[in-house]
Each structure stands twice: as C-alpha cells, then as structure tokens.
Coordinates of all heavy atoms in Angstrom, one line a residue:
N8 N 18.5 -36.4 17.7 CA 18.8 -36.8 16.3 C 19.7 -35.8 15.7 O 19.4 -34.6 15.6 CB 17.5 -37.0 15.6 CG 17.7 -37.6 14.2 OD1 18.7 -37.4 13.6 ND2 16.6 -38.2 13.7
T9 N 20.9 -36.3 15.2 CA 21.8 -35.3 14.6 C 21.5 -35.0 13.2 O 22.0 -34.0 12.6 CB 23.2 -35.9 14.6 OG1 23.2 -37.2 13.9 CG2 23.7 -36.1 16.0
L10 N 20.6 -35.7 12.5 CA 20.3 -35.4 11.1 C 19.2 -34.3 11.0 O 19.2 -33.6 10.1 CB 19.7 -36.7 10.4 CG 20.7 -37.8 10.2 CD1 20.0 -39.0 9.5 CD2 21.8 -37.3 9.3
S11 N 18.3 -34.3 12.0 CA 17.2 -33.4 11.9 C 16.6 -33.1 13.2 O 16.8 -33.8 14.2 CB 16.1 -33.9 10.9 OG 15.6 -35.1 11.5
E12 N 15.8 -32.0 13.2 CA 15.0 -31.7 14.4 C 13.6 -32.4 14.1 O 13.2 -32.5 12.9 CB 14.7 -30.2 14.5 CG 16.0 -29.5 14.9 CD 15.7 -28.0 15.0 OE1 14.5 -27.6 15.4 OE2 16.6 -27.2 14.8
I13 N 13.0 -32.9 15.1 CA 11.7 -33.6 14.9 C 10.7 -32.7 15.5 O 10.8 -32.4 16.7 CB 11.7 -35.0 15.5 CG1 12.8 -35.9 14.9 CG2 10.4 -35.7 15.4 CD1 13.0 -37.2 15.6
V14 N 9.7 -32.4 14.7 CA 8.6 -31.6 15.2 C 7.4 -32.4 15.3 O 7.0 -33.1 14.3 CB 8.4 -30.3 14.3 CG1 7.2 -29.5 14.8 CG2 9.6 -29.5 14.2
R15 N 6.7 -32.5 16.4 CA 5.5 -33.3 16.6 C 4.3 -32.3 16.7 O 4.3 -31.4 17.5 CB 5.6 -34.2 17.8 CG 4.4 -35.1 18.0 CD 4.6 -36.0 19.1 NE 4.6 -35.3 20.4 CZ 4.5 -35.9 21.5 NH1 4.6 -37.2 21.6 NH2 4.5 -35.3 22.6
F16 N 3.3 -32.6 16.0 CA 2.1 -31.9 16.1 C 0.9 -32.8 15.9 O 1.0 -33.9 15.5 CB 2.0 -30.7 15.2 CG 2.1 -31.0 13.7 CD1 1.0 -31.2 12.9 CD2 3.4 -31.1 13.1 CE1 1.2 -31.5 11.6 CE2 3.5 -31.4 11.8 CZ 2.4 -31.6 11.0
F17 N -0.3 -32.3 16.2 CA -1.5 -33.1 16.2 C -2.4 -32.6 15.1 O -2.6 -31.4 15.1 CB -2.2 -33.2 17.6 CG -1.3 -33.8 18.6 CD1 -0.5 -33.0 19.4 CD2 -1.3 -35.2 18.8 CE1 0.4 -33.5 20.4 CE2 -0.4 -35.7 19.8 CZ 0.4 -34.9 20.6
S18 N -3.0 -33.5 14.4 CA -4.0 -33.1 13.4 C -5.3 -32.8 14.0 O -5.6 -33.2 15.2 CB -4.1 -34.1 12.3 OG -4.8 -35.2 12.8
S19 N -6.3 -32.3 13.3 CA -7.6 -32.1 13.8 C -8.3 -33.4 14.1 O -9.2 -33.4 14.9 CB -8.4 -31.2 12.8 OG -8.5 -31.9 11.6
E20 N -7.8 -34.5 13.5 CA -8.4 -35.8 13.8 C -7.8 -36.4 15.0 O -8.1 -37.6 15.3 CB -8.3 -36.7 12.5 CG -9.1 -36.4 11.3 CD -8.4 -35.2 10.5 OE1 -7.2 -35.2 10.4 OE2 -9.2 -34.4 10.0
G21 N -6.8 -35.8 15.6 CA -6.2 -36.3 16.8 C -5.0 -37.2 16.6 O -4.4 -37.7 17.5
E22 N -4.6 -37.4 15.3 CA -3.4 -38.2 15.1 C -2.2 -37.4 15.2 O -2.1 -36.2 14.9 CB -3.5 -38.9 13.7 CG -3.5 -38.0 12.5 CD -3.7 -38.7 11.2 OE1 -2.7 -39.2 10.7 OE2 -4.8 -38.7 10.7
T23 N -1.1 -38.1 15.6 CA 0.2 -37.5 15.8 C 0.9 -37.5 14.5 O 1.0 -38.5 13.8 CB 1.0 -38.2 16.8 OG1 0.3 -38.3 18.1 CG2 2.4 -37.5 17.1
I24 N 1.4 -36.4 14.1 CA 2.2 -36.2 12.8 C 3.6 -35.8 13.2 O 3.8 -34.8 13.9 CB 1.5 -35.2 11.9 CG1 0.1 -35.7 11.6 CG2 2.3 -35.1 10.6 CD1 -0.8 -34.8 10.8
F25 N 4.6 -36.4 12.6 CA 6.0 -36.0 12.8 C 6.5 -35.4 11.5 O 6.3 -35.9 10.5 CB 6.8 -37.2 13.2 CG 6.5 -37.8 14.5 CD1 5.6 -38.9 14.6 CD2 7.0 -37.3 15.7 CE1 5.3 -39.4 15.9 CE2 6.7 -37.8 16.9 CZ 5.8 -38.9 17.0
E26 N 7.2 -34.3 11.7 CA 7.8 -33.6 10.5 C 9.3 -33.5 10.9 O 9.7 -33.1 11.9 CB 7.3 -32.2 10.3 CG 7.9 -31.5 9.2 CD 7.4 -30.1 9.0 OE1 6.4 -29.7 9.7 OE2 7.9 -29.4 8.1
F27 N 10.1 -34.0 9.9 CA 11.6 -33.9 10.1 C 12.1 -32.7 9.4 O 11.9 -32.6 8.2 CB 12.2 -35.2 9.6 CG 11.7 -36.4 10.3 CD1 10.6 -37.1 9.9 CD2 12.4 -36.8 11.5 CE1 10.2 -38.2 10.7 CE2 12.0 -37.9 12.2 CZ 10.9 -38.6 11.8
I28 N 12.8 -31.8 10.1 CA 13.4 -30.6 9.5 C 14.9 -30.8 9.5 O 15.5 -30.9 10.6 CB 13.0 -29.4 10.3 CG1 11.4 -29.3 10.4 CG2 13.6 -28.2 9.7 CD1 10.9 -28.2 11.3
P29 N 15.5 -31.0 8.4 CA 16.9 -31.3 8.3 C 17.8 -30.2 9.0 O 17.4 -29.0 8.8 CB 17.3 -31.4 6.9 CG 15.9 -31.7 6.2 CD 14.9 -31.0 7.1
N30 N 18.8 -30.5 9.7 CA 19.8 -29.6 10.2 C 20.6 -29.0 9.0 O 20.7 -29.6 8.0 CB 20.7 -30.2 11.2 CG 19.9 -30.5 12.5 OD1 19.1 -29.6 13.0 ND2 20.2 -31.6 13.1
D31 N 21.2 -27.9 9.2 CA 22.0 -27.2 8.2 C 23.4 -27.8 8.4 O 24.2 -27.4 9.3 CB 22.0 -25.7 8.4 CG 22.8 -25.0 7.4 OD1 23.3 -25.6 6.4 OD2 23.0 -23.8 7.5
F32 N 23.8 -28.6 7.4 CA 25.2 -29.2 7.5 C 26.2 -28.4 6.7 O 27.4 -28.8 6.6 CB 25.1 -30.6 7.0 CG 24.5 -31.6 7.9 CD1 23.1 -31.9 7.8 CD2 25.2 -32.1 8.9 CE1 22.5 -32.7 8.7 CE2 24.6 -33.0 9.8 CZ 23.2 -33.3 9.7
S33 N 25.8 -27.3 6.0 CA 26.7 -26.5 5.2 C 27.9 -25.9 6.1 O 29.0 -25.7 5.6 CB 26.0 -25.4 4.5 OG 25.4 -24.5 5.4
V34 N 27.6 -25.7 7.4 CA 28.6 -25.2 8.3 C 29.8 -26.2 8.4 O 31.0 -25.7 8.6 CB 28.1 -24.9 9.7 CG1 27.7 -26.2 10.4 CG2 29.0 -24.1 10.5
L35 N 29.6 -27.4 8.1 CA 30.7 -28.4 8.2 C 31.8 -28.2 7.1 O 33.0 -28.5 7.3 CB 30.2 -29.8 8.0 CG 29.2 -30.3 9.1 CD1 28.7 -31.7 8.8 CD2 29.9 -30.3 10.5
K36 N 31.4 -27.6 6.0 CA 32.4 -27.3 4.9 C 33.4 -26.3 5.4 O 34.6 -26.3 4.9 CB 31.7 -26.7 3.7 CG 30.8 -27.7 3.0 CD 30.1 -27.0 1.8 CE 29.1 -27.9 1.1 NZ 28.5 -27.2 0.0
N37 N 33.1 -25.5 6.3 CA 34.0 -24.5 6.8 C 35.0 -25.0 7.9 O 35.8 -24.3 8.4 CB 33.3 -23.3 7.4 CG 32.4 -22.6 6.4 OD1 32.7 -22.6 5.2 ND2 31.3 -22.1 6.8
H38 N 34.8 -26.3 8.2 CA 35.6 -26.9 9.3 C 36.4 -28.1 8.9 O 36.7 -29.0 9.6 CB 34.7 -27.3 10.5 CG 34.1 -26.1 11.1 ND1 34.8 -25.2 12.0 CD2 32.9 -25.5 11.0 CE1 34.0 -24.3 12.4 NE2 32.8 -24.4 11.8
N39 N 36.8 -28.1 7.6 CA 37.6 -29.1 7.0 C 37.1 -30.6 7.2 O 37.9 -31.5 7.4 CB 39.0 -29.0 7.6 CG 40.1 -29.6 6.7 OD1 39.9 -29.7 5.5 ND2 41.2 -30.1 7.3
V40 N 35.8 -30.7 7.2 CA 35.2 -32.1 7.3 C 35.3 -32.7 5.9 O 34.8 -32.1 4.9 CB 33.7 -32.0 7.7 CG1 33.1 -33.4 7.7 CG2 33.6 -31.4 9.1
K41 N 36.0 -33.8 5.8 CA 36.2 -34.5 4.5 C 35.2 -35.6 4.2 O 34.9 -35.8 3.0 CB 37.6 -35.0 4.5 CG 38.7 -33.9 4.6 CD 40.0 -34.5 4.2 CE 41.2 -33.5 4.3 NZ 41.0 -32.2 4.5
N42 N 34.7 -36.2 5.2 CA 33.7 -37.3 5.0 C 32.7 -37.3 6.2 O 33.1 -36.9 7.3 CB 34.5 -38.7 5.0 CG 35.3 -38.8 3.8 OD1 34.8 -39.0 2.7 ND2 36.6 -38.8 4.0
I43 N 31.5 -37.8 5.9 CA 30.5 -38.0 6.9 C 30.3 -39.5 6.9 O 30.0 -40.1 5.8 CB 29.2 -37.3 6.6 CG1 29.5 -35.8 6.6 CG2 28.1 -37.7 7.5 CD1 28.4 -34.9 6.2
L44 N 30.3 -40.2 8.0 CA 30.1 -41.6 8.2 C 28.8 -41.8 8.7 O 28.4 -41.3 9.8 CB 31.2 -42.2 9.1 CG 32.7 -41.9 8.6 CD1 33.6 -42.5 9.6 CD2 32.9 -42.3 7.2
C45 N 28.0 -42.6 8.0 CA 26.6 -42.9 8.5 C 26.5 -44.3 9.0 O 26.7 -45.3 8.3 CB 25.6 -42.8 7.3 SG 25.7 -41.2 6.5
A46 N 26.2 -44.4 10.3 CA 26.2 -45.7 10.9 C 24.7 -46.3 10.8 O 23.8 -45.9 11.5 CB 26.5 -45.6 12.4
G47 N 24.6 -47.1 9.8 CA 23.3 -47.8 9.6 C 22.6 -47.2 8.3 O 22.9 -46.2 7.8
K48 N 21.7 -48.1 7.8 CA 21.0 -47.8 6.6 C 20.1 -46.5 6.7 O 20.0 -45.8 5.8 CB 20.2 -49.0 6.1 CG 21.0 -50.1 5.7 CD 20.2 -51.3 5.3 CE 21.1 -52.5 5.0 NZ 20.4 -53.7 4.9
E49 N 19.4 -46.4 7.8 CA 18.5 -45.2 8.0 C 19.2 -43.9 7.9 O 18.8 -43.0 7.2 CB 17.7 -45.3 9.3 CG 16.6 -44.3 9.4 CD 15.8 -44.4 10.6 OE1 15.7 -45.5 11.1 OE2 15.2 -43.4 11.0
A50 N 20.4 -43.8 8.6 CA 21.2 -42.6 8.5 C 21.7 -42.4 7.1 O 21.6 -41.2 6.6 CB 22.3 -42.7 9.5
Y51 N 22.1 -43.4 6.4 CA 22.6 -43.3 5.0 C 21.5 -42.8 4.1 O 21.7 -41.9 3.3 CB 23.2 -44.6 4.6 CG 23.8 -44.5 3.2 CD1 25.1 -44.0 3.0 CD2 23.1 -44.9 2.1 CE1 25.7 -43.9 1.8 CE2 23.7 -44.8 0.8 CZ 25.0 -44.3 0.7 OH 25.5 -44.2 -0.6
R52 N 20.3 -43.4 4.2 CA 19.2 -43.0 3.3 C 18.8 -41.5 3.6 O 18.5 -40.8 2.7 CB 18.0 -43.9 3.6 CG 18.2 -45.2 2.7 CD 16.9 -46.0 2.9 NE 17.4 -47.2 3.6 CZ 16.7 -48.0 4.3 NH1 15.5 -47.8 4.5 NH2 17.3 -49.0 4.9
S53 N 18.9 -41.1 4.8 CA 18.6 -39.7 5.2 C 19.6 -38.8 4.5 O 19.2 -37.7 4.0 CB 18.6 -39.5 6.7 OG 17.6 -40.2 7.3
F54 N 20.9 -39.1 4.5 CA 21.9 -38.3 3.9 C 21.7 -38.3 2.4 O 22.1 -37.3 1.7 CB 23.3 -38.7 4.3 CG 23.8 -37.8 5.4 CD1 23.7 -38.3 6.7 CD2 24.3 -36.6 5.2 CE1 24.1 -37.5 7.8 CE2 24.8 -35.8 6.2 CZ 24.7 -36.3 7.5
E55 N 21.2 -39.4 1.8 CA 21.0 -39.4 0.4 C 20.0 -38.3 0.0 O 20.1 -37.7 -1.1 CB 20.4 -40.7 -0.1 CG 21.5 -41.8 -0.2 CD 20.9 -43.1 -0.6 OE1 19.8 -43.5 -0.2 OE2 21.5 -43.8 -1.5
K56 N 19.1 -38.0 0.8 CA 18.0 -37.0 0.5 C 18.6 -35.6 0.7 O 18.0 -34.7 0.1 CB 16.8 -37.2 1.4 CG 16.1 -38.5 1.2 CD 15.0 -38.7 2.2 CE 14.5 -40.1 2.1 NZ 13.5 -40.5 3.1
L57 N 19.6 -35.4 1.5 CA 20.1 -34.1 1.8 C 21.2 -33.8 0.7 O 21.9 -34.7 0.3 CB 20.7 -34.0 3.2 CG 19.8 -34.3 4.3 CD1 20.6 -34.3 5.6 CD2 18.7 -33.2 4.4
K58 N 21.4 -32.5 0.4 CA 22.5 -32.1 -0.5 C 23.5 -31.4 0.4 O 23.5 -30.2 0.5 CB 21.9 -31.2 -1.6 CG 20.8 -31.8 -2.4 CD 21.2 -33.0 -3.2 CE 20.1 -33.6 -4.0 NZ 20.1 -35.0 -4.1
V59 N 24.4 -32.2 1.0 CA 25.3 -31.6 1.9 C 26.6 -31.1 1.3 O 27.2 -30.2 1.8 CB 25.7 -32.7 3.0 CG1 26.0 -32.1 4.3 CG2 24.8 -33.8 3.1
G60 N 27.0 -31.7 0.1 CA 28.2 -31.2 -0.5 C 29.5 -31.8 0.1 O 30.6 -31.4 -0.2
I61 N 29.3 -32.8 1.0 CA 30.5 -33.5 1.6 C 30.2 -35.0 1.3 O 29.1 -35.5 1.5 CB 30.5 -33.2 3.1 CG1 30.7 -31.7 3.3 CG2 31.7 -34.0 3.7 CD1 30.6 -31.3 4.8
P62 N 31.2 -35.7 0.9 CA 31.0 -37.2 0.7 C 30.6 -37.9 1.9 O 31.0 -37.6 3.0 CB 32.4 -37.7 0.3 CG 33.2 -36.5 -0.2 CD 32.6 -35.3 0.6
F63 N 29.6 -38.8 1.8 CA 29.1 -39.5 2.9 C 29.2 -41.0 2.6 O 29.1 -41.4 1.4 CB 27.7 -39.1 3.4 CG 26.7 -39.2 2.3 CD1 25.8 -40.3 2.3 CD2 26.5 -38.2 1.4 CE1 24.9 -40.4 1.3 CE2 25.5 -38.3 0.4 CZ 24.7 -39.4 0.3
H64 N 29.3 -41.8 3.6 CA 29.6 -43.3 3.4 C 28.8 -44.1 4.4 O 28.6 -43.7 5.5 CB 31.1 -43.5 3.6 CG 32.0 -42.6 2.8 ND1 32.3 -42.9 1.5 CD2 32.6 -41.5 3.2 CE1 33.1 -41.9 1.1 NE2 33.3 -41.0 2.1
Y65 N 28.3 -45.2 3.9 CA 27.6 -46.2 4.7 C 28.5 -47.0 5.5 O 29.5 -47.5 5.0 CB 26.7 -47.1 3.8 CG 26.1 -48.3 4.5 CD1 25.0 -48.1 5.3 CD2 26.7 -49.5 4.5 CE1 24.5 -49.1 6.0 CE2 26.2 -50.6 5.2 CZ 25.1 -50.4 5.9 OH 24.5 -51.4 6.7
L66 N 28.2 -47.1 6.8 CA 28.9 -48.0 7.7 C 27.9 -49.0 8.3 O 26.7 -48.6 8.5 CB 29.6 -47.3 8.8 CG 30.6 -46.3 8.5 CD1 31.1 -45.6 9.8 CD2 31.8 -47.0 7.8
P67 N 28.3 -50.2 8.6 CA 27.3 -51.1 9.3 C 26.8 -50.5 10.6 O 27.6 -49.8 11.2 CB 28.1 -52.4 9.5 CG 29.3 -52.3 8.7 CD 29.6 -50.8 8.4
S68 N 25.6 -50.8 11.0 CA 25.1 -50.3 12.2 C 26.0 -50.7 13.4 O 26.5 -51.8 13.4 CB 23.7 -50.8 12.4 OG 23.2 -50.5 13.7
T69 N 26.1 -49.8 14.3 CA 26.9 -50.1 15.5 C 26.1 -50.8 16.6 O 26.5 -51.2 17.6 CB 27.5 -48.8 16.1 OG1 26.4 -47.9 16.4 CG2 28.5 -48.2 15.2
S70 N 24.8 -51.0 16.3 CA 23.9 -51.7 17.2 C 24.3 -53.1 17.5 O 24.8 -53.8 16.6 CB 22.5 -51.7 16.6 OG 21.6 -52.5 17.4
A71 N 24.1 -53.5 18.7 CA 24.4 -54.9 19.1 C 23.5 -55.9 18.4 O 23.8 -57.0 18.2 CB 24.2 -55.1 20.6
A72 N 22.3 -55.4 17.9 CA 21.4 -56.2 17.1 C 22.0 -56.6 15.7 O 21.5 -57.5 15.1 CB 20.1 -55.5 17.0
N73 N 23.0 -55.8 15.3 CA 23.6 -56.1 14.0 C 24.7 -57.1 14.2 O 25.9 -56.8 14.4 CB 24.2 -54.8 13.4 CG 24.9 -55.1 12.0 OD1 24.7 -56.2 11.5 ND2 25.6 -54.2 11.6
R74 N 24.4 -58.4 14.2 CA 25.4 -59.4 14.4 C 26.0 -60.0 13.1 O 26.8 -60.9 13.2 CB 24.7 -60.6 15.2 CG 24.2 -60.1 16.6 CD 23.5 -61.2 17.3 NE 22.7 -60.6 18.4 CZ 23.2 -60.6 19.6 NH1 24.4 -61.1 19.9 NH2 22.5 -60.1 20.6
I75 N 25.6 -59.4 12.0 CA 26.1 -59.9 10.7 C 27.6 -59.5 10.6 O 28.4 -60.2 10.1 CB 25.3 -59.3 9.6 CG1 23.9 -59.8 9.6 CG2 25.9 -59.6 8.2 CD1 22.9 -59.1 8.7
T76 N 27.9 -58.3 11.1 CA 29.2 -57.7 11.0 C 29.9 -57.8 12.4 O 29.3 -57.2 13.4 CB 29.2 -56.3 10.5 OG1 28.5 -56.2 9.3 CG2 30.6 -55.8 10.2
S77 N 31.0 -58.4 12.5 CA 31.7 -58.5 13.9 C 32.3 -57.1 14.2 O 32.4 -56.2 13.4 CB 32.8 -59.5 13.8 OG 33.9 -59.0 13.0
K78 N 32.6 -56.9 15.5 CA 33.2 -55.7 16.0 C 34.5 -55.4 15.3 O 34.8 -54.3 15.0 CB 33.4 -55.7 17.5 CG 32.2 -55.7 18.3 CD 32.5 -55.7 19.8 CE 31.3 -55.8 20.7 NZ 31.6 -55.8 22.1
E79 N 35.2 -56.5 15.1 CA 36.5 -56.3 14.4 C 36.3 -55.8 12.9 O 37.1 -54.9 12.5 CB 37.3 -57.6 14.4 CG 37.7 -58.1 15.8 CD 36.6 -58.7 16.6 OE1 35.6 -59.1 16.1 OE2 36.8 -58.8 17.9
E80 N 35.3 -56.4 12.2 CA 35.1 -56.0 10.9 C 34.6 -54.5 10.8 O 35.0 -53.7 10.0 CB 34.0 -56.8 10.2 CG 34.5 -58.2 9.9 CD 33.3 -59.1 9.5 OE1 32.3 -59.2 10.2 OE2 33.5 -59.8 8.4
K81 N 33.8 -54.1 11.8 CA 33.3 -52.7 11.9 C 34.5 -51.8 12.1 O 34.6 -50.7 11.5 CB 32.3 -52.6 13.0 CG 31.0 -53.3 12.7 CD 30.0 -53.1 13.9 CE 28.8 -54.0 13.8 NZ 27.9 -53.9 14.9
A82 N 35.4 -52.2 13.0 CA 36.5 -51.3 13.3 C 37.4 -51.2 12.1 O 37.9 -50.1 11.8 CB 37.4 -52.0 14.4
E83 N 37.6 -52.2 11.3 CA 38.4 -52.1 10.1 C 37.8 -51.2 9.0 O 38.5 -50.4 8.4 CB 38.7 -53.5 9.5 CG 39.6 -54.4 10.2 CD 41.0 -53.7 10.4 OE1 41.5 -53.2 9.4 OE2 41.5 -53.7 11.5
I84 N 36.5 -51.3 8.9 CA 35.8 -50.4 8.0 C 36.0 -48.9 8.4 O 36.3 -48.1 7.6 CB 34.3 -50.8 7.9 CG1 34.1 -52.2 7.2 CG2 33.5 -49.7 7.1 CD1 32.7 -52.7 7.3
I85 N 35.8 -48.6 9.7 CA 35.9 -47.3 10.2 C 37.3 -46.7 10.0 O 37.5 -45.6 9.7 CB 35.4 -47.2 11.6 CG1 33.9 -47.5 11.7 CG2 35.7 -45.9 12.3 CD1 33.3 -47.7 13.1
K86 N 38.3 -47.6 10.2 CA 39.7 -47.2 10.1 C 40.1 -46.6 8.8 O 40.9 -45.7 8.7 CB 40.6 -48.3 10.5 CG 40.8 -48.7 11.9 CD 41.7 -49.8 12.1 CE 41.7 -50.3 13.5 NZ 42.6 -51.4 13.7
K87 N 39.4 -47.0 7.7 CA 39.6 -46.5 6.4 C 39.4 -45.0 6.3 O 40.0 -44.4 5.4 CB 38.7 -47.2 5.4 CG 39.0 -48.6 5.1 CD 38.0 -49.1 4.0 CE 37.6 -50.5 4.2 NZ 36.6 -50.9 3.2
F88 N 38.6 -44.5 7.1 CA 38.2 -43.1 7.0 C 38.9 -42.2 8.1 O 38.7 -41.0 8.1 CB 36.7 -42.9 7.2 CG 35.9 -43.6 6.1 CD1 35.3 -44.9 6.3 CD2 35.8 -43.1 4.8 CE1 34.7 -45.5 5.3 CE2 35.2 -43.7 3.8 CZ 34.6 -44.9 4.1
L89 N 39.7 -42.8 8.9 CA 40.5 -42.0 9.9 C 41.8 -41.5 9.4 O 42.4 -42.0 8.5 CB 40.6 -42.9 11.2 CG 39.4 -43.4 11.9 CD1 39.7 -44.2 13.1 CD2 38.5 -42.2 12.3

C-alpha cells in the first residue's frame, strides 16, 4: 500500500486489529511533485485525512470492475494532469 504501512496485531480476545500508519509524503515537496492523483474513492478519502501540502485529485478507479467510466474517458481525465 503506497498510502500507509499496515500493522497487524492481535488483541487479548484473539481478534485481529489493523492499524494504518501513514507514510511520510513531505519528501515529495522536495522533488517538484505538483499533483497527486488518487485512483479510486478509497485512495482519495485517505489523502483527505492526510495533510500532505500537495494538491491531490480524484480519478475514477482503474479497476476493470469500474465499468461506469470507459478506458478512453479515464485516459482523457489523466491527460489533464500530465
């Protein structure tokens, strides 16, 4: 996962608990990154929670399960940011 490290541990009751530890994206500011493109709603919502200091944008999911947006439409959306 590029957004975070996932740490799994077990509680005393035996249930699995996942903790998401966000990666440090501040390093991107030093590399002339102008935009972050989030493919899908989950990635976008995750970036909303982080304070990265770089504009981020929602893109339709690239998953084949996302049949609402055609490949051509997805390509046109992505081209805006290249």
Side-chain angles (χ1 to χ4, degrees):
N8 185 332
T9 57
L10 292 177
S11 62
E12 293 181 27
I13 301 172
V14 179
R15 182 174 73 171
F16 57 94
F17 299 92
S18 72
S19 59
E20 291 81 34
E22 64 184 276
T23 304
I24 300 172
F25 294 94
E26 179 181 356
F27 296 90
I28 303 170
N30 287 319
D31 180 9
F32 288 94
S33 63
V34 68
L35 297 178
K36 291 180 185 179
N37 301 327
H38 294 284
N39 201 29
V40 174
K41 298 195 182 342
N42 292 289
I43 295 173
L44 307 178
C45 303
K48 291 177 186 171
E49 186 174 338
Y51 184 80
R52 278 185 245 155
S53 295
F54 264 95
E55 284 182 316
K56 296 174 187 172
L57 301 174
K58 304 296 180 216
V59 213
I61 299 170
F63 59 96
H64 309 277
Y65 169 78
L66 298 176
S68 172
T69 56
S70 167
N73 178 14
R74 298 175 193 265
I75 296 170
T76 309
S77 71
K78 288 181 185 179
E79 292 78 16
E80 290 172 309
K81 291 177 190 177
E83 287 302 315
I84 293 168
I85 293 170
K86 283 181 187 177
K87 292 184 213 176
F88 299 102
L89 300 179

